[in-house]
Amino acid sequence: MSLNTFGARGSLEVAGRSYEIFRLEALAERFDLSALPFSLKILLENLLRNEDDVTVRAGEIEALAAWDPAAAPDREIAFAPARILMQDFTGVPCVVDLAAMRDAMAQLGGDPARVNPLVPAELVIDHSVSVDHYGSQQAFVSNVDLEYQRNTERYEFLRWGQTAFDNFKVVPPNTGICHQVNLEYLARVVFVDETSGQAYPDTLVGTDSHTPMVNGLGVLGWGVGGIEAEAAMLGQPISMLIPKVVGVRLVGELGEGATATDLVLTVTQRLRQHGVVGKFVEFYGPGVANVALANRATIGNMSPEYGSTVTMFPIDDETLRYLDFSGRPAELIGLVEAYAKEQGLWRDESSPEPHFSETLELDLSAVVPSLAGPKRPQDRVPLDEAKVMFRAALSGNLPEEALSSEGEAAALTFPASDPVAAADGMTAAGDGETDLAPPVPPAGQDRPVVRVPVQLADGTRFELDHGHVVIAAITSCTNTSNPYAMLGAGLLARNAVEKGLDVKPWVKTSLAPGSKVVSDYYDRAGLTPYLDKLRFNLVGYGCTTCIGNSGPLLPEISEAVESAGLAVCAVLSGNRNFEGRINGDVRMNYLASPPLVVAYALAGTMDIDLRSEPLGEGSDGPVYLRDIWPASAEVDAVVEEAVASEMFRSSYAEVFAGDEHWNGLDVPGGQRFAWKSGSTYVRKPPYFDDLPATPRPLSDVRGARVLALLGDSITTDHISPAGSIRKGGPSAAWLMDHGVEAPDFNSYGSRRGNHEVMIRGTFANSRLRNKLAPGTEGGVTVHLPGGEEATIYDAAMRYEAEGVPLIVLAGKEYGSGSSRDWAAKGTSLLGVRAVLAETYERIHRSNLIGMGVLPLQFNEGASVASLGLTGREIYDIVGLEDLAEDAPMPEALVVRADDREFRVRLRIDTPKEAEYYRHGGILPYVLRQLRDA
């Protein structure tokens, strides 16, 4: 119950029903709220409604209401989300932690039932289906059967969670992708608490970094690590500093041929260049009205790719149109409109422009068809430069054994042809080593050529070469939530078939929509047969290729790629293309719109200029992209004819029911989970073993060794892979020792309920380059001081036996990418006490604190190189152990590396984060709080 210091409590009458609301206008006499960005108004309402003089005080409400756009973030506030969204890769370990917390609560003498979600939590199973079967009518059924064979134990565990915990719901497999289900069904825009009769803005945090997709609907929400989401579920507010807000003013409208994907890749490039990490982004200006809600959602979805916490669009007529379009009830739509207008959350032509910390302008008419790649989403590639930029990037993406010591292609031919120039701004994107321009073939020469003959089992013969597209995937909620993009792809497929084109035989094609509605409108539009003809058959309703569940390539293709060291490509309509993420055999990954995915499947190579070279030979001669690209007017007309509100209502009518597979699972009972000692999927984690009743005193780090010395743009995929578990590594060895054969290894993501697999997979990405072990890729390091080469896991266990603490050294953008908390959990379990990096991405820094790992940051201008560090020194980190129990955390600590001494920033940014660290992490803190409640 709010203290209501400002007299904000009031009522709102809508359609004969009265709702209790907390009016922002109660502050209007003292503060100019018209100048507040839309996102901050939602936070302000959250504080007013939750004022209790403990977590939310009147002073914090006043500080937010008086927000200074130019001020540096320094005031902590507590955000209480209305609900939690999870997917299964991050959700299963969350439920594992909650089950373990119940056991720990009993050991501490408390009531296990207190470990129960107080905030509604919804988990959508979308990350487990893999593209093992494709290119046939049976692909979907076969992949679902395999999914259940592999994941029955995990799904039974989630069914137990449904019965053991209140406020916890699970959307069964093959319903859709969590963010698309959220956008199309779960999101309320205005949340109604039926118990209290309160109406307030729908807000959330999600255990997936792409949670901001729902920002396009005017819902405030962002991605957090699983451990932070668990704390929020259990009633802990989200600690944050009042953020800076970057305003992006939109003018104009998209031109002919430009898609939502082209727009979001342009936004991603611009905002990553501008610098928005840890900031809110909000769109405003006359062009907002010209951005369809599906396109707004696409932009919000890729917030983590450009680094912002959220990417908000205000509520307006387009919001209401989409709510009606997606089958929401009329009562909700009326409430959303009335509430938004009452609270100053409505945008129209007369709305005043908010004040922002920084502003940019984007002319929508300047957006051109684009891709992004080959390793980072922010590295946009204009379509008309794609061939040139591919060739410029190629030599930087060949395996090391294919390069000479000078970095040029070795033992490869360079046939003479036109010169190839590097495009401006091209970077060795995300290679974990450098941001310098990659090697470029010498002037007057073309790209290296390796023609490898391949014969498939059915007798099909062809030659593979660098740049050949071996995966073309229409995948990911980023684009499959957008009917304009999806129907554009279907129309292009129809036109290609009618022209006599076919997909190249080496391309693994797949269609994995984010909801069943997509299949419904494809069928109604009559486009499904054309997609099937091009082997873009339905493979599942889930994330698939976008998160690394691309499944294996045909063995003949995989063997050719490996034996010849080919740099082959994937083209996908996803949001991430980090190295090693999509498929272990694929070195170059490009993000593209669904229509361009189909086009590149037809071309079969990235080494093509789609504007001037034919896609292939059709029934009447060469066929160019311009011959089959559908006009925007045709796409709009098909969307109008084929997509109906009833499709959404029908698809989501029984969203929690599940199919015969789901309902046939055995459901364990009991308030506490009965752990199985022989399980290879769900095991009791060690986080609460020997947990003391009170926190241990803080201590300095002394005598530490460097486990890994890493470069720039190290992603959470590098730290904790999500894709397939490859033979030969420590995780594979553990599984085989426990009776699991290679075909049943499944993915790292599916094994996140098993810490034994995950700790062995930490830093095991096949493309990770550790500078302590130059010339190697994968989870390799050296044990010091002797320098013996070992896997990172084996070296860490040896250090643990010797009583040696560990640290990690890194460059810029450390921990970018997914929200996965296992990147921090695995780091902690390896014995890493601190990470020292040049800059951090927001979620991973928070996750490190949540697992009791110190996030340290080099001072501006300092780095491993500038300080002359080699990673072979012995390190002390000093300045914590003499702190009084109630003393604030210092802003800096001292690091000693052999005979060098320097100061670093301590990136524990809020008092609440300091409390978490003092307790050894967020979960021990919450557990002790619940025990003492």
Side-chain angles (χ1 to χ4, degrees):
M1 180 69 69
S2 172
L3 293 179
N4 197 30
T5 299
F6 301 93
R9 185 183 288 114
S11 63
L12 176 67
E13 301 285 334
V14 182
R17 181 176 175 181
S18 179
Y19 301 90
E20 180 180 276
I21 67 170
F22 282 78
R23 297 181 184 278
L24 295 177
E25 70 175 12
L27 298 165
E29 289 187 6
R30 295 177 54 192
F31 306 99
D32 180 13
L33 299 186
S34 66
L36 269 186
F38 176 78
S39 51
L40 295 191
K41 288 181 181 179
I42 295 176
L43 285 180
L44 184 58
E45 188 282 338
N46 197 277
L47 296 182
L48 284 171
R49 182 166 35 86
N50 291 289
E51 183 196 3
D52 60 1
D53 206 32
V54 179
T55 58
V56 179
R57 298 174 177 84
E60 286 134 26
I61 296 172
E62 292 170 333
L64 182 54
W67 178 70
D68 178 3
D74 62 359
R75 187 64 181 261
E76 184 183 26
I77 59 173
F79 167 62
R83 57 192 177 93
I84 310 295
L85 178 70
M86 296 182 283
Q87 37 90 340
D88 54 300
F89 269 19
T90 52
V92 167
C94 283
V95 182
V96 167
D97 290 350
L98 292 177
M101 288 177 75
R102 282 193 167 176
D103 292 345
M105 179 67 82
Q107 293 166 11
L108 291 175
D111 180 4
R114 287 189 175 182
V115 180
N116 190 85
L118 299 177
V119 176
E122 295 152 331
L123 186 153
V124 181
I125 300 176
D126 60 8
H127 272 53
S128 295
V129 65
S130 183
V131 189
D132 291 275
H133 298 272
Y134 68 99
S136 76
Q137 298 285 356
Q138 292 302 309
F140 171 68
V141 173
S142 299
N143 286 330
V144 170
D145 287 344
L146 269 177
E147 177 185 2
Y148 272 92
Q149 289 174 29
R150 292 167 173 163
N151 296 285
T152 292
E153 192 176 342
R154 296 172 65 238
Y155 294 168
E156 288 175 346
F157 176 68
L158 289 176
R159 291 292 304 272
W160 168 80
Q162 279 184 297
T163 61
F165 296 107
D166 298 327
N167 279 333
F168 176 59
K169 293 181 178 180
V170 177
V171 176
N174 289 294
T175 302
I177 300 173
C178 66
H179 307 302
Q180 191 160 340
V181 174
N182 191 28
L183 182 76
E184 295 177 353
Y185 178 74
L186 296 175
R188 289 78 154 169
V189 186
V190 173
F191 197 98
V192 176
D193 185 327
E194 296 296 346
T195 302
S196 66
Q198 288 183 347
Y200 44 87
D202 183 14
T203 57
L204 72 154
V205 292
T207 62
D208 189 283
S209 56
H210 295 104
T211 299
M213 180 170 182
V214 78
N215 297 165
L217 196 58
V219 175
L220 183 67
W222 59 84
V224 296
I227 46 182
E228 195 169 2
E230 292 163 38
M233 269 189 271
L234 297 173
Q236 286 292 312
I238 302 292
S239 169
M240 62 183 295
L241 298 177
I242 298 175
K244 285 192 171 185
V245 184
V246 178
V248 180
R249 187 172 188 269
L250 297 180
V251 297
E253 57 185 310
L254 289 178
E256 180 66 33
T259 68
T261 312
D262 307 320
L263 172 58
V264 74
L265 295 180
T266 301
V267 168
T268 299
Q269 182 186 47
R270 285 282 306 277
L271 291 183
R272 181 56 81 170
Q273 289 172 346
H274 179 82
V276 295
V277 172
K279 302 173 185 177
F280 282 16
V281 168
E282 196 165 306
F283 284 85
Y284 71 107
V288 169
N290 299 326
V291 181
L293 199 132
N295 295 4
R296 298 179 185 184
T298 297
I299 294 170
N301 180 280
M302 289 190 68
S303 296
E305 277 62 65
Y306 42 86
S308 70
T309 304
V310 301
T311 304
M312 290 295 293
F313 282 84
I315 299 170
D316 60 6
D317 284 326
E318 175 62 11
T319 313
L320 302 185
R321 184 204 66 79
Y322 183 83
L323 290 173
D324 179 61
F325 171 75
S326 56
R328 267 44 174 241
E331 297 86 349
L332 175 64
I333 299 171
L335 174 61
V336 169
E337 181 176 11
Y339 185 90
K341 290 179 175 177
E342 181 70 22
Q343 293 281 59
L345 299 174
W346 181 265
R347 188 209 71 86
D348 57 28
E349 292 180 358
S350 64
S351 301
E353 288 191 352
H355 297 169
F356 295 104
S357 307
E358 304 153 18
T359 59
L360 298 85
E361 183 168 295
L362 176 62
D363 184 351
L364 297 172
S365 66
V367 173
V368 298
S370 302
L371 303 91
K375 292 182 181 177
R376 292 192 307 187
Q378 64 262 40
D379 294 325
R380 187 176 65 86
V381 178
L383 183 62
D384 58 5
E385 298 178 41
K387 181 177 181 178
V388 170
M389 293 180 77
F390 158 73
R391 291 186 172 189
L394 177 59
S395 56
N397 286 276
L398 295 174
E400 293 198 9
E401 59 268 21
L403 297 176
S404 69
S405 59
E406 287 76 29
E408 297 178 353
L412 301 173
T413 59
F414 286 84
S417 69
D418 294 334
V420 178
D424 287 343
M426 188 63 194
T427 65
D431 66 359
E433 290 190 355
T434 178
D435 254 1
L436 300 177
V440 179
Q445 294 182 325
D446 209 339
R447 65 171 182 84
V449 174
V450 181
R451 295 187 175 92
V452 183
V454 176
Q455 180 172 327
L456 302 181
D458 64 1
T460 303
R461 296 185 179 185
F462 50 82
E463 292 182 334
L464 273 184
D465 189 8
H466 295 304
H468 272 190
V469 175
V470 296
I471 291 176
I474 300 176
T475 177
S476 172
C477 53
T478 306
N479 288 289
T480 68
S481 61
N482 193 315
Y484 300 92
M486 295 299 284
L487 286 167
L491 290 169
L492 187 143
R494 180 202 65 188
N495 297 343
V497 170
E498 290 177 348
K499 291 281 187 181
L501 293 180
D502 201 356
V503 170
K504 298 298 186 286
W506 53 82
V507 183
K508 181 174 186 176
T509 49
S510 60
L511 168 65
S515 83
K516 294 179 179 179
V517 174
V518 176
S519 295
D520 291 341
Y521 62 64
Y522 268 157
D523 289 345
R524 179 177 288 190
L527 297 175
T528 302
Y530 298 103
L531 288 160
D532 289 348
K533 177 71 173 175
L534 296 182
R535 304 201 308 278
F536 280 96
N537 303 84
L538 177 69
V539 297
Y541 296 101
C543 302
T544 61
T545 301
C546 187
I547 56 147
N549 285 357
S550 58
L553 301 180
L554 291 176
E556 299 90 344
I557 293 176
S558 181
E559 290 165 11
V561 169
E562 184 173 355
S563 64
L566 294 179
V568 292
C569 302
V571 182
L572 63 149
S573 62
N575 45 49
R576 292 208 172 119
N577 53 350
F578 303 138
E579 56 182 344
R581 177 183 176 94
I582 305 304
N583 185 285
D585 289 324
V586 178
R587 288 185 169 268
M588 305 178 75
N589 303 293
Y590 289 87
L591 307 180
S593 66
L596 281 180
V597 171
V598 178
Y600 275 102
L602 296 167
T605 181
M606 283 300 302
D607 191 35
I608 183 173
D609 184 346
L610 292 184
R611 296 302 183 97
S612 61
E613 297 178 56
L615 294 166
E617 194 73 16
S619 50
D620 296 321
V623 179
Y624 294 82
L625 181 63
R626 59 180 175 269
D627 299 327
I628 62 173
W629 190 270
S632 297
E634 182 182 15
V635 174
D636 292 344
V638 175
V639 170
E640 184 69 24
E641 295 168 4
V643 188
S645 297
E646 180 54 37
M647 292 177 176
F648 294 90
R649 284 190 286 268
S650 174
S651 180
Y652 290 112
E654 296 183 339
V655 67
F656 298 106
D659 58 14
E660 67 278 5
H661 291 286
W662 181 253
N663 292 308
L665 294 171
D666 292 331
V667 183
Q671 185 186 63
R672 292 168 61 182
F673 186 68
W675 307 98
K676 300 176 183 176
S677 60
S679 174
T680 61
Y681 276 104
V682 178
R683 296 175 75 88
K684 185 178 179 180
Y687 318 127
F688 308 109
D689 292 351
D690 303 319
L691 181 70
T694 58
R696 297 182 178 93
L698 294 179
S699 62
D700 292 335
V701 179
R702 297 186 182 275
R705 287 290 188 178
V706 175
L707 182 64
L709 172 57
L710 308 171
D712 295 333
S713 299
I714 294 298
T715 71
T716 52
D717 277 282
H718 287 111
I719 303 167
S720 182
S724 59
I725 299 172
R726 297 173 73 92
K727 296 179 183 178
S731 295
W734 187 93
L735 287 169
M736 295 188 75
D737 286 345
H738 287 76
V740 180
E741 297 301 320
D744 299 317
F745 282 173
N746 211 336
S747 64
Y748 281 110
S750 68
R751 298 279 181 181
R752 285 182 186 157
N754 180 351
H755 63 278
E756 299 286 5
V757 170
M758 296 308 298
I759 184 177
R760 289 165 172 80
T762 304
F763 294 111
N765 184 298
S766 61
R767 297 290 181 260
L768 181 74
R769 301 176 187 93
N770 181 0
K771 295 179 182 180
L772 282 180
T776 66
E777 285 187 325
V780 181
T781 191
V782 293
H783 181 275
L784 300 170
E788 302 89 352
E789 195 169 283
T791 68
I792 282 180
Y793 171 76
D794 289 337
M797 293 303 100
R798 183 174 168 188
Y799 281 126
E800 180 181 67
E802 296 166 349
V804 176
L806 300 172
I807 66 170
V808 170
L809 301 179
K812 301 179 181 68
E813 298 177 0
Y814 185 75
S816 56
S818 298
S819 66
R820 65 191 60 159
D821 54 354
W822 258 109
K825 287 179 174 177
T827 298
S828 174
L829 291 177
L830 285 174
V832 174
R833 294 281 305 280
V835 175
L836 176 53
E838 291 180 55
T839 61
Y840 289 91
E841 293 293 286
R842 174 185 61 86
I843 298 176
H844 186 62
R845 182 199 63 82
S846 176
N847 283 342
L848 288 172
I849 297 167
M851 287 305 300
V853 178
L854 281 171
L856 305 177
Q857 188 165 320
F858 288 106
N859 288 331
E860 186 72 28
S863 65
V864 168
S866 72
L867 293 170
L869 303 176
T870 66
R872 295 175 178 268
E873 303 88 353
I874 296 175
Y875 286 76
D876 294 338
I877 302 169
V878 180
L880 290 176
E881 67 185 17
D882 294 329
L883 285 179
E885 186 174 335
D886 58 350
M889 284 287 183
E891 294 183 1
L893 297 177
V894 172
V895 174
R896 300 188 186 114
D898 287 348
D899 57 352
R900 297 176 182 84
E901 183 175 300
F902 52 95
R903 294 175 67 82
V904 297
R905 292 177 60 196
L906 175 57
R907 288 298 312 279
I908 294 179
D909 292 349
T910 71
K912 182 61 73 174
E913 289 180 346
E915 284 192 78
Y916 294 157
Y917 182 75
R918 287 180 183 275
H919 279 259
I922 191 169
L923 296 184
Y925 170 84
V926 172
L927 189 61
R928 292 182 180 116
Q929 293 290 307
L930 289 172
R931 178 201 60 191
D932 297 336

